[in-house]
Amino acid sequence: MTDGPTTTLGTTITLDIFRYHPEQGKKPIMQRFHVTINKSGMKLLDALNSIKWHQDNTLTYRRSCGEGVCGSDGVNINGVNGLACITPIEGLKQPIEIRPLPGMSVIRDLVVDMTHFFDQYRSIKPWMQTTTPTPEHEHLQTPRERQQLNGLYECILCGCCTTSCPSWWWNGDKFLGPATLLQANRWIQDSRDEATEERLEHLEDNFKLYRCHQIMNCMQACPKSLNPTKAINEIKRAIVERKG
Amino acid sequence: MPTHPHHHASSSSRPQSPRLSIYRWQTTMIASILHRISGGMLIISMLVSIYLFSYIISNTENLFITIDWMRSWQGTLFLWLFGITATYHWSNGLRFLLLDYGIGESRERMKQSANLVLWTIPLSAITLGTWLWL
C-alpha cells in the first residue's frame, strides 16, 4: 500500500467509504469525502474522525485506543484488511477505499457483527487449564518456554486475518479461521497449560483446522505482523507428533 | 445480497460486506488458487492420457492416428498446457510440503516462495513452447 502520492500538510485527500444505514433499508453505497491533511504522520483513523466530527456525524465505525492495541478499528483499506489507527495516509492510493471487514454481516457503515468470530474464539477455551495443584506463587517458565509464545500472545483479535481468508468466507460456519487457530496454538505451545491433548483432539477435524489451504492472506493482513499460517502448521505438526 | 450461513440468526436481514470482489489479489493467494486449478487440470489431463493410451493399444492404425493428432496444433497445445500445469503443480506442491515440515515459514520466505513458484509458469511456457514449436 505504498504506491500512492505523497501527502503534505494542507493537501486534500479523497476517500470512498462504504455506507449502510439499516433504518433506511437501502442497499449499501460508496460515499465520497474529502479531508484536509492537518498534521504530519496522519493516520486513516484521523481522517475518519475528521469526517465524523466536521462533515457527517452519522458515519459509524468502531475505535477505542487509537494506537493498534484494542483491535477495534479493523477495516478493509484499498482491498487489504488493516487497522485504521495505525495505517498512515501517506502512500495510500487515492481515492482511499474503505469498506467493512469482508464477508461479515454489516450492522451499519463500517461496523460488522463479530458475534460468530468471538463464538469461535470461545470454542477453543482460551484460558490456561491445569490439573496439577496450583503453585503457591506462580507457574514458572524457563526463558526458552516463554519464547515459544512470541508471535502468538501479541494477537489482539481484531479479525483482520480471519476476514481476509477465502476458506473462512466459504466455510466460516465450520472452519475456525486464522485468528482462533493462532490463539489455539498460543495455548498448545504454553508449557504451563496441561490440556494439550484435549485441545489437539478438539482441533483435529477436516473443517475446524484442515480447511486452511495456505492462501496466506491472513499473514499479509495481520497489522501486528504475526503469522497465523505458521501457527496453523505448528498445530498440524503437533497433531502428527502426538500420534508418534 | 446473500447472507452468510455462519452469521448470527438475528443478522439475516443485514447485508454482507463484499469479499472476493474487492479483496486485493496477493501472490500467495494466487499461488494457492492456481494449485487447486492446476490440480483439477491434471486430473483432466490424466483422463485424456488414459483415453489416448487405451485408444493406441486397440490396434496399430490408431497409433498413427494418435501420433498425427499429437503433432497437430490441438495435440501440441495439449502437451504444452499439460507440461506447464504439471510443472506448476509439482513446484507449488513441493513448496507446500516444505512448509509442512516448517521450512520457509517466515513471512518473507512465504511471499518469496510464492513468487518463485509463479515464475515457473512463464519459464515452463517458454521452455516447453521452444521445444515443441521450434
Side-chain angles (χ1 to χ4, degrees), chain B residues 95-115:
Chain B
R95 171 173 173 256
F96 279 170
L97 278 175
L98 291 172
L99 284 167
D100 285 344
Y101 278 99
I103 299 165
E105 269 192 330
S106 73
R107 288 164 55 91
E108 277 313 305
R109 282 276 179 273
M110 281 178 167
K111 286 183 240 178
Q112 285 167 356
S113 59
N115 278 321

Side-chain angles (χ1 to χ4, degrees), chain B residues 40-56:
Chain B
M41 285 171 69
L42 281 182
I43 291 171
I44 297 166
S45 303
M46 291 303 285
L47 291 174
V48 172
S49 304
I50 290 165
Y51 171 77
L52 287 177
F53 284 130
S54 61
Y55 182 69
I56 288 168

